[in-house]
Amino acid sequence: MKTPLWNADGQYSIFRLPEALTCWPALGVMAASFLAAALVFALGGFMARLGWVFPLVMSIVAFVIALAGTSGAGICLTDLARQRPYRSPTRYLVAGLACLPKLLGAGLLMVLAALAVLLCLAVVFFVCKIPVLGPVLLVVAVPVAVLVVAAALVAWYVATSIAGPAIWDGERVLHSLSIAWHITRQYPFAAIGKIVGGVLLCAVFASMLMGVVSFAAFTVAGVGASVMGVGMQFHPGMLAGYGIGGHMVGAGIGFSLVFALATAFVLLLPLMVGVLTWCEFSARVDLHKLREATDEKLQDVNAKVQEMKDKARAPAADAVPVPAASAPVVAPVAAQAAGSVEAAAGFAAAAAPSAPLAPAVTPTCPQCRGAVEPTDRFCDHCGHKLT
């Protein structure tokens, strides 16, 4: 039994693209964000007369709103592909806004990787500037460089198409990049074939839809201008709010609604291509193992960085010089302390009460034991001869 064309690519077949056009929550979130971004941008144009800062700030705000809506629509399409229940449009918009820092971080890391490749090429060509050996090296370096850049472009394209949907599906930045890189290495041709095929289908549908909408918009504008008498002239002052009447503002808002809805329809399809590619190839790899490997490598890098910091701090601590005056001061201080101790001991000895002297012995007569003087020759009491 043959597999139907609809399921020829499995559960996440590229032929599920039309489902994105019936995903009304995603369409509503993206269209509302684009409309809000257009209104904020127009408000910045009206505020241009107050200073150039206001249009710049409003343009940045409008860009962030549009990106948040696009990210929210991608999360909604991920729920559709995974057959999960839908959330409210507000939750999709908030989730899309929360994913913007992750998407920005992933994009920055991929840009740094591309710059690293270009830096390596610059180093190779700098070496090839050697007068004699340089031309010989270029014979080999040029083909190798072309192949490396081509492979890097393919890997960058596939990783960009997968990393975003991985983040929408709840993966962390480094995990999403690691998984995208693993898928790119394991299934490069299958992944890029699915992506290119989906983008071609999107381009065909987008050209048809935007062509029809543009022709209809010009027709409506021509009829409205001829009936209402509003000129179709344009001058730069209109961007700053000069020379625009109420009819022109109303017509501009109406056309903005139409093109915001049409652009949302067009962009839903390439978002769906990335989501289907991520869902299909993430099922072919061991996500848990890849996450653990990424965490281990990150821990090793952090440990090496900490070790390098410790090694850098150790020589700095050993090289701190001892002040010159501190060494000689030790002996005087010790001598002063010893002198103080001796002085204290002397003071204590002086302050202590002296021991009582032995009483003086009075000479006595050996005959009668009467008291006599040392100079006496006879006892005054008994007349005994003393000497």
Side-chain angles (χ1 to χ4, degrees), residues 99-118:
C99 285
L100 288 185
K102 297 181 181 180
L103 295 173
L104 181 61
L108 181 61
L109 291 177
M110 286 188 286
V111 169
L112 291 177
L115 292 178
V117 173
L118 295 178

Side-chain angles (χ1 to χ4, degrees), residues 158-360:
V158 175
T160 304
S161 303
I162 295 177
I167 292 175
W168 293 335
D169 205 18
E171 296 291 342
R172 293 162 53 185
V173 175
L174 293 180
H175 290 171
S176 64
L177 293 177
S178 176
I179 296 170
W181 171 245
H182 183 77
I183 292 174
T184 303
R185 290 190 297 109
Q186 293 293 325
Y187 311 99
F189 299 106
I192 197 170
K194 187 180 184 72
I195 294 172
V196 170
V199 170
L200 290 177
L201 292 177
C202 296
V204 172
F205 177 81
S207 60
M208 293 174 58
L209 178 62
M210 297 305 293
V212 172
V213 172
S214 300
F215 182 79
F218 278 110
T219 302
V220 172
V223 174
S226 62
V227 172
M228 301 181 64
V230 179
M232 300 300 294
Q233 294 84 6
F234 175 82
H235 55 86
M238 289 183 177
L239 295 177
Y242 300 102
I244 299 181
H247 295 88
M248 185 66 74
V249 173
I253 294 176
F255 284 119
S256 298
L257 286 172
V258 172
F259 280 98
L261 186 61
T263 305
F265 263 108
V266 169
L267 292 182
L268 280 179
L269 293 177
L271 291 181
M272 190 65 173
V273 172
V275 168
L276 291 175
T277 305
W278 156 251
C279 292
E280 177 185 349
F281 288 97
S282 63
R284 299 185 184 184
V285 298
D286 190 348
L287 297 180
H288 181 69
K289 184 177 180 180
L290 290 175
R291 295 189 193 106
E292 289 184 347
T294 304
D295 293 337
E296 290 178 359
K297 291 180 181 179
L298 183 60
Q299 291 177 0
D300 293 340
V301 171
N302 292 334
K304 291 181 180 179
V305 170
Q306 186 62 35
E307 182 179 356
M308 293 174 62
K309 289 181 179 180
D310 295 338
K311 289 182 179 180
R313 290 173 183 173
D318 295 338
V320 175
V322 179
S326 61
V329 169
V330 175
V333 169
Q336 183 179 1
S340 299
V341 172
E342 293 177 358
F347 178 78
S354 58
L357 297 176

Side-chain angles (χ1 to χ4, degrees), residues 117 121 125 139-155:
V117 173
L121 290 179
F125 286 119
V139 176
V140 180
V142 170
V144 173
V146 171
L147 293 177
V148 169
V149 172
L153 289 176
V154 172

Side-chain angles (χ1 to χ4, degrees), residues 92 163 373:
Y92 280 125
E373 294 295 332

